[in-house]
Amino acid sequence: MKETPLSNCERRFLLRAIEEKKRLDGRQTYDYRNIRITFGTDYGCCIVELGKTRVLGQVSCELVSPKLNRATEGILFFNLELSQMAAPAFEPGRQSDLLVKLNRLLERCLRNSKCIDTESLCVVAGEKVWQIRVDLHLLNHDGNIIDAASIAAIVALCHFRRPDVSVQGEEVTLYTPEERDPVPLSIHHMPICVSFAFFQQGTYLLVDPSEREERVMDGLLVIAMNKHREICTIQSSGGIMLLPDQVLRCSKIAGVKVAEVTELIQKALENDRKVRKEGGKFGFAESIANQRITAFKMEKASVDTSNIEEKAEEIIAEAEPPPEVVSKPVLWTPGTAQIGDGIENSWGDLEDSEKEEEEEEEGGTDEAVILDDTKMDTGGISDIGSQGVPIVLSDSEEEEMIILEPDKKPKKIRAQTASAKEKAPSKSQVKRRKKKRAAN
Amino acid sequence: MDHRMGEPLVQSRLFGDGRSTYDLYGLVGRITSNSKSPQPPERDNPGGWASLCGSGSRIPEAATTPAMAEVLSVTADSVARCQARAAHKVLNQVVLPGEELVLPEHDDVDGLGGAGEQQLRLNAGTRPRMRVICGPGLRRCGDRLLVTKCGRLRHKEPGGGSGGVYWVDSQQKRYVPVKGDHVIGIVIAKSGDIFKVDVGGSEPASLSYLAFEGATKRNRPNVQVGDLIYGQCVVANKDMEPEMVCIDSCGRANGMGVIGQDGLLFKVTLGLIRKLLAPDCEIVQELGKLYPLEIVFGMNGRIWVKAKTIQQTLILANVLEACEHMTTDQRRQIFARLAES
């Protein structure tokens, strides 16, 4: 099935909301959604829920012969699958780009960071090593698959227990779980991916984007870090330009988030270990509440409902009434009409303000000279105006419109194309011109 | 007069409480259009919810678990024993697919004569049967009604002489296009004379550019890819691609057409939409009292909402999505809290 297209009004609304620092589910810019970790009855099986995004992770192991160039190291194998129940757009054989990208990122995050001690997986050098296989299945897609998948992978690896092996000389004994307790894997650190979504060419940033936000984002930055603030992987996609200080800021935020998530993972692992030790019930069935229909359950959305009346009233009070535009065209000659007055010739105003500025700014020694200049200039311009000869001021950005009338003098009307900002350059131009004349 | 975006909302707010604001835009048609003139659904029509929204029976809230379990066990028993139950005994109870329901026989009610007199009948052997219409979730199977969806069995008393309507109230998120439904669609392509509009079904519906009010060959409607359209399905069956129009049979738009810019579109379940579109729905009335808003409900589960500020729009969207899972009391609490702040 094709995925539902994103309508223009949704896109516009989302971008406007992000500009106002509002998210659809009421989170703040740097907030994660609720993370829930549940374990199955087998060791190495877990489900991680990041909001509504759900990933199932399962770890299994097997004794195989090692790779030829790495005779003393175990083998790690990671696989993420996007199940068809995750989103209507996921069809077998359809989502290859996204799948390849996610798998590659997960591999870099977990394998290249050497978070698992592969040397400890060796049983007999060159002959038998453990092959650890991590299978991740995406069960529901509500944005930010990579974060949920990385958490599921590392949690499953931490939870997993492999059968105990003892080597005595040439004899290798593999114990079943009944004979000897299975042994956990040796894990050095826990790399966790944190995703940052960028909007409006890098102006706005959101942590843990939901599915809607992912549709309208410009680019994505994924930083994989562990709680010791070591960056394991960093990847930027989408082709946006990021400044170095933006990336540094993101890495600082990622450090904070990873510390929180690692703490949560430790707590969850600890809880599960306690329950298993005390002989209580564990597994997925226990994590679903009894006597309650889960289809009628919904997470609370923390939408800020305060200050709405005040804000609305403010907006109404400050909204100006629509301007009354009355158009009365004035016909000067056949073929030439004028609507409105335009802006008056404000050369005179400029002179006055210039004089004031110069008197304030400059010191005493220059004052006398400049004042003389300005007096000269005002005289000059007024003379010119009376003569009626149009002066073309080449530096001016404002065009002077001259209406030629049969009997009267030509009226100079400046078509107001400049805003207040442009008056500043014209001021400086006036200054320059004055100094030139002074030089002359 | 210079008209700016957001203008009408300002004016309507000044007029008083929010209750009457949506009337000003002529949106009454949009909100209650499904409950206007109820056309009886066709027989064996798997869809046809449109007319049933105007039914008199209020749809009660979800049952609590123990009651549900009891009811389910009873139905499971009957299904196991392959007994057909009488339809009028199973009203408002949960029925499961595969059950057969027996319609009640109609006794002679012409009390013209006394006890001894008997009417002469032309067709002496058969008894007169009522005309019963089976709605969504039911199928005719000989004499009986076969349930095809799980849910609660409902019945609507007829106004005229026919036997009324039976249907199954079920919950579903995936929409199947049905003739006569008003839906919100997203334009995905423009090709020649028609627009392709995604309504949430398996195929995009086609919408001719002439099916807008005031559209002629020269005067094309201003519709871009990605715009939202509120229209009615005129052709929707399993053999053909669905077709929709934005014009009613008289040629008037009646609230249909392109939905304006801004606002937020979100998706809810189909059962919630039917609940919201039922006449005298408390939720919609209470929403209207909160803020001035524009809202469009599509029978395909899509709701478009627009309020004055982004925050208000987000609040409305979240409240509507949560209405699905809240009991009446919780909802009243939330609305009271929103009205205070």
Side-chain angles (χ1 to χ4, degrees):
Chain A
M1 260 188 79
K2 270 197 208 154
E3 57 183 8
T4 318
L6 189 70
S7 56
N8 294 342
C9 90
E10 275 181 286
R11 178 185 298 269
R12 209 169 320 170
F13 183 85
L14 278 165
L15 290 172
R16 265 180 58 203
I18 288 166
E19 281 170 30
E20 293 186 18
K21 306 264 194 288
K22 296 223 183 321
R23 297 175 86 161
L24 283 185
D25 44 8
R27 289 186 277 159
Q28 300 298 318
T29 321
Y30 300 142
D31 278 355
Y32 254 80
R33 289 171 281 182
N34 284 336
I35 302 180
R36 244 186 111 221
I37 302 175
T38 48
F39 297 97
T41 38
D42 292 338
Y43 280 114
C45 182
C46 73
I47 288 187
V48 171
E49 289 173 48
L50 176 65
K52 286 194 199 152
T53 304
R54 255 198 217 195
V55 178
L56 164 77
Q58 174 73 59
V59 177
S60 53
C61 66
E62 203 187 1
L63 275 177
V64 294
S65 17
K67 290 188 185 152
L68 292 171
N69 53 349
R70 308 247 181 222
T72 53
E73 285 185 13
I75 303 174
L76 283 173
F77 186 67
F78 300 99
N79 183 32
L80 169 70
E81 276 178 23
L82 304 176
S83 158
Q84 278 83 59
M85 66 174 110
F90 294 156
E91 276 172 35
R94 251 288 202 110
Q95 0 80 328
S96 45
D97 279 351
L98 178 65
L99 193 58
V100 166
K101 176 180 158 211
L102 292 170
N103 268 308
R104 195 70 202 97
L105 191 53
L106 262 180
E107 280 214 23
R108 275 166 48 202
C109 167
L110 293 165
R111 194 201 295 276
N112 297 1
S113 65
K114 303 217 185 315
C115 60
I116 298 177
D117 183 14
T118 43
E119 299 272 353
S120 68
L121 296 174
C122 175
V123 176
V124 178
E127 286 178 30
K128 286 286 176 197
V129 296
W130 285 110
Q131 179 191 47
I132 304 291
R133 187 194 167 97
V134 183
D135 283 304
L136 300 161
H137 294 265
L138 179 71
L139 300 177
N140 193 32
H141 176 30
D142 197 28
N144 206 5
I145 304 174
I146 188 62
D147 283 15
S150 75
I151 296 175
I154 202 64
V155 166
L157 283 167
C158 289
H159 191 243
F160 179 62
R161 306 274 183 271
R162 64 166 172 82
D164 198 6
V165 173
S166 72
V167 181
Q168 278 162 341
E170 291 297 323
E171 262 186 43
V172 174
T173 328
L174 176 66
Y175 296 104
T176 60
E178 289 84 33
E179 291 170 10
R180 271 210 206 169
D181 280 342
V183 164
L185 297 174
S186 151
I187 295 180
H188 294 309
H189 60 97
M190 295 207 267
I192 311 266
C193 291
V194 178
S195 300
F196 299 88
F198 287 95
F199 303 87
Q200 313 279 37
Q201 311 305 320
T203 325
Y204 301 100
L205 138 76
L206 287 181
V207 174
D208 186 21
S210 68
E211 202 248 334
R212 296 271 108 173
E213 289 159 358
E214 275 188 353
R215 292 257 203 131
V216 298
M217 71 181 176
D218 283 339
L220 183 73
L221 175 71
V222 179
I223 300 182
M225 251 181 154
N226 59 23
K227 71 168 186 206
H228 309 293
R229 303 181 60 87
E230 295 165 339
I231 292 184
C232 308
T233 302
I234 193 164
Q235 171 170 311
S236 163
S237 54
I240 40 156
M241 311 291 201
L242 288 175
L243 301 169
D245 66 324
Q246 275 179 315
V247 179
L248 275 174
R249 201 157 40 106
C250 289
S251 69
K252 288 201 189 90
I253 298 168
V256 172
K257 292 294 161 195
V258 164
E260 289 172 12
V261 172
T262 312
E263 207 185 295
L264 176 73
I265 293 175
Q266 304 280 22
K267 248 194 284 181
L269 285 167
E270 184 59 40
N271 275 348
D272 181 72
R273 202 180 56 83
K274 229 190 317 177
V275 167
R276 281 176 201 256
K277 194 165 157 191
E278 288 163 9
K281 289 196 203 158
F282 48 86
F284 289 132
E286 294 307 310
S287 55
I288 300 174
N290 272 340
Q291 306 296 327
R292 203 180 296 164
I293 303 175
T294 54
F296 290 142
K297 208 172 56 148
M298 190 175 121
E299 298 275 340
K300 268 195 209 168
S302 53
V303 180
D304 183 20
T305 57
S306 57
N307 297 335
I308 303 158
E309 277 290 315
E310 294 162 15
K311 274 190 195 160
E313 284 176 21
E314 272 172 39
I315 292 169
I316 293 162
E318 287 164 23
E320 302 154 16
E324 297 257 328
V325 174
V326 176
S327 54
K328 287 186 222 151
V330 177
L331 189 66
W332 294 111
T333 54
T336 317
Q338 178 190 344
I339 298 177
D341 285 337
I343 304 294
E344 281 185 27
N345 189 341
S346 55
W347 279 108
D349 294 340
L350 274 176
E351 304 279 58
D352 290 337
S353 58
E354 283 285 45
K355 265 192 250 165
E356 287 166 13
E357 264 189 11
E358 286 172 356
E359 282 165 9
E360 287 166 17
E361 284 173 14
E362 291 169 27
T365 48
D366 292 334
E367 247 185 19
V369 178
I370 289 158
L371 282 172
D372 288 341
D373 284 347
T374 54
K375 279 185 197 153
M376 250 176 51
D377 285 342
T378 43
I381 288 174
S382 54
D383 285 341
I384 290 164
S386 58
Q387 285 164 20
V389 172
I391 300 168
V392 177
L393 302 167
S394 52
D395 289 340
S396 169
E397 285 165 351
E398 299 166 345
E399 285 184 6
E400 256 186 22
M401 234 180 49
I402 294 155
I403 297 177
L404 298 171
E405 278 139 20
D407 293 322
K408 298 182 201 163
K409 286 185 189 168
K411 237 181 170 185
K412 282 188 201 166
I413 297 170
R414 176 170 288 122
Q416 178 66 356
T417 52
S419 57
K421 282 187 214 161
E422 277 186 51
K423 277 199 172 172
S426 61
K427 271 193 197 169
S428 59
Q429 283 152 17
V430 170
K431 244 189 185 170
R432 262 187 277 126
R433 259 177 266 119
K434 281 185 194 161
K435 284 183 181 157
K436 273 189 206 163
R437 282 177 197 167
N440 293 341
Chain B
M1 198 168 101
D2 195 17
H3 178 85
R4 286 182 309 166
M5 189 62 208
E7 257 311 278
L9 290 169
V10 176
Q11 287 179 348
S12 60
R13 185 79 173 83
L14 297 172
F15 281 137
D17 65 304
R19 204 176 347 166
S20 57
T21 46
Y22 46 76
D23 291 338
L24 288 175
Y25 317 135
L27 278 172
V28 175
R30 275 189 202 184
I31 294 168
T32 57
S33 61
N34 278 332
S35 59
K36 264 193 299 195
S37 48
Q39 309 123 24
E42 300 157 22
R43 288 193 97 159
D44 302 338
N45 184 8
W49 281 106
S51 59
L52 294 170
C53 283
S55 68
S57 57
R58 251 204 100 234
I59 302 164
E61 309 284 342
T64 57
T65 321
M68 213 45 146
E70 220 180 88
V71 162
L72 279 171
S73 63
V74 169
T75 54
D77 281 343
S78 71
V79 168
R81 275 181 262 142
C82 298
Q83 278 179 2
R85 299 193 281 166
H88 60 271
K89 288 193 185 135
V90 197
L91 279 183
N92 294 332
Q93 288 180 28
V94 172
V95 288
L96 297 175
E99 277 192 41
E100 289 188 357
L101 300 168
V102 178
L103 291 169
E105 299 287 326
H106 198 65
D107 296 322
D108 293 321
V109 276
D110 317 296
L112 283 180
E117 224 176 295
Q118 277 188 0
Q119 304 276 332
L120 274 178
R121 293 185 172 281
L122 289 172
N123 49 348
T126 60
R127 294 237 194 111
R129 283 193 181 265
M130 309 179 301
R131 181 184 156 86
V132 164
I133 298 169
C134 61
L138 293 171
R139 212 174 258 279
R140 234 188 64 191
C141 168
D143 282 359
R144 303 173 174 185
L145 292 176
L146 185 67
V147 178
T148 54
K149 280 199 162 166
C150 60
R152 288 176 172 237
L153 184 70
R154 306 276 188 214
H155 175 59
K156 176 179 166 189
E157 290 299 328
S162 61
V165 193
Y166 283 94
W167 76 95
V168 178
D169 231 350
S170 59
Q171 182 63 289
Q172 188 171 303
K173 279 192 186 178
R174 186 67 63 91
Y175 176 65
V176 174
V178 163
K179 179 171 164 179
D181 268 359
H182 290 257
V183 293
I184 297 181
I186 304 172
V187 178
I188 51 180
K190 279 205 274 196
S191 62
D193 287 348
I194 57 167
F195 303 112
K196 285 270 180 235
V197 178
D198 168 83
V199 294
S202 55
E203 279 189 29
S206 69
L207 167 65
S208 163
Y209 76 91
L210 290 171
F212 288 84
E213 183 172 0
T216 59
K217 287 211 169 79
R218 300 275 176 89
N219 180 18
R220 285 173 176 248
N222 182 16
V223 174
Q224 307 303 325
V225 171
D227 278 352
L228 291 178
I229 301 256
Y230 181 67
Q232 188 174 21
C233 289
V234 291
V235 169
N237 52 44
K238 60 180 167 41
D239 304 313
M240 298 164 57
E241 79 163 354
E243 289 176 26
M244 57 187 280
V245 290
C246 287
I247 204 173
D248 65 5
S249 48
C250 308
R252 284 194 297 265
N254 218 0
M256 297 191 270
V258 182
I259 296 179
Q261 314 301 322
D262 297 337
L264 175 64
L265 178 79
F266 57 97
K267 197 158 178 341
V268 294
T269 56
L270 305 186
L272 178 66
I273 293 276
R274 292 195 293 265
K275 189 163 140 184
L276 290 167
L277 283 174
D280 306 326
C281 176
E282 294 181 356
I283 305 177
V284 178
Q285 289 171 353
E286 286 173 27
L287 275 179
K289 284 184 212 159
L290 273 181
Y291 328 113
L293 79 163
E294 283 187 58
I295 195 163
V296 178
F297 297 106
M299 292 293 281
N300 52 349
R302 294 183 183 161
I303 302 181
W304 178 85
V305 72
K306 177 176 162 187
K308 182 75 181 165
T309 62
I310 295 220
Q311 188 173 1
Q312 288 180 0
T313 316
L314 282 175
I315 290 172
L316 289 168
N318 277 300
V319 161
L320 280 169
E321 278 173 349
C323 274
E324 174 108 43
H325 308 285
M326 288 197 284
T327 61
T328 320
D329 294 326
Q330 286 171 339
R331 200 185 63 225
R332 291 210 183 111
Q333 273 177 11
I334 300 246
F335 276 110
R337 226 164 16 121
L338 283 175
E340 279 167 36
S341 66

